[in-house]
Amino acid sequence: MPEKNRLGVISLPIERIHIEVTNHCNFSCEFCPDFKMKRGRGFMDFEVLKKILNEVAEKGIAKLALFHVMGEALLYSKLPDAIKYASGKGLKTCITTNGSLLTNELLNKLTQAGLSRIILSLQTPDEKSFIHRGAKNFSFDSYKESVKRIAHKVINENRLKLTISFLSSPLRKLIFPVMPNITVADTSKDLRKHLSRWSEYILKGTKFENNLGQIRNRLRWVGSFRENSVNLCPGLTFETRILGDWASHSLNNGVKAKIGFCPGIQENFGILWNGDMVFCCVDYEGRTVAGNIKEDSIYDCLKSRQVQDVVRGFNHFRVIHSHCQRCMGDKNYLNAFVRQIGSILYFKGYRKIFSNNNF
């Protein structure tokens, strides 16, 4: 991959590109905007996918190809082929999945294709919160067994990395007011309890069972108000993030943001299944389209005036794009002010110090 260089105000390579191979999903999580999404459903044409991967590799655009924006990546029949093609280009690859379709046979195919990492979105750690996943014909007990099976296979074979992702829901009635009854881990104590139970469930009976004492000590530093990363053993990590109102917040506020900061496209961007490039990886409706990869190059999209102005604006704490203004605004002036100032404090200070804590 070429040495780091600059494309206008954007430094290349960025951390990751999100490639939406499909926006179909077999779960219907209440905290996900899947049920609100109005854009069409489909699967990415494999030739378009190869074009994307070719340019990413040849021009050193991103360090990691992550096959997810919306949808369940394992529904894409050519996913092993996509991983193999990307790996052949020297790219690191990652899939985000709910794990329900990850059979041992498919896991073998993905591993042999060169997959680097799996992010398993467990999110809801107990039977009560699992109700929010909308997993038809899939009980919590069977899901739990599936997660354990996948983890054991990764641990025993030690050929790729597995991250199991959990949610926390501190101040949920304030942060997630649209659905105040959704509760996952409201306090740090709750979150630690869930992580402790899952670490015991997965590691007991394995060669890493003796790690449990050290893991319990690390969990003492886990907090529900920040992102956390806890290493259990080689190849297996627990990560936590805060449940957010990304499904409806940007649609319902009345006061638009004028100031603020978002690392956005300086860290990642997305390409939707139909080829539309969006500069916001949580733009589930395609409101930040900067071009279409079937007609434009990624390079040209990144250096377009629209994208460059958005990044330049954030670098000066100004919010330029209408989607960003809605996302970072709120229902009244006080809430909007707090969100705008909070975005600067969080991304420029708090996240650097406390987020992605490795224990």
Side-chain angles (χ1 to χ4, degrees), residues 53 82-93 110 113-116:
L53 295 172
I83 299 296
K84 184 177 181 179
Y85 192 84
S87 300
K89 293 289 181 179
L91 296 173
K92 292 184 178 180
T93 56
L110 293 171
L115 182 65
S116 308

Side-chain angles (χ1 to χ4, degrees), residues 295-308:
E295 305 166 354
D296 310 304
S297 70
I298 299 174
Y299 205 79
D300 285 341
C301 290
L302 289 176
K303 70 178 183 181
S304 68
R305 181 174 179 178
Q306 176 187 196
V307 172
Q308 292 286 315

Side-chain angles (χ1 to χ4, degrees), residues 278-330:
V278 291
F279 59 74
C280 171
C281 70
V282 296
D283 179 12
Y284 64 91
E285 205 65 275
R287 293 187 173 87
T288 61
V289 174
N292 189 285
I293 303 307
K294 295 177 183 178
E295 305 166 354
D296 310 304
S297 70
I298 299 174
Y299 205 79
D300 285 341
C301 290
L302 289 176
K303 70 178 183 181
S304 68
R305 181 174 179 178
Q306 176 187 196
V307 172
Q308 292 286 315
D309 283 350
V310 168
V311 175
R312 190 176 292 107
F314 279 131
N315 287 343
H316 292 86
F317 305 120
R318 292 184 291 110
V319 186
I320 303 297
H321 197 275
S322 59
H323 174 77
C324 306
Q325 291 172 346
R326 289 193 299 270
C327 179
M328 302 177 75
D330 215 315

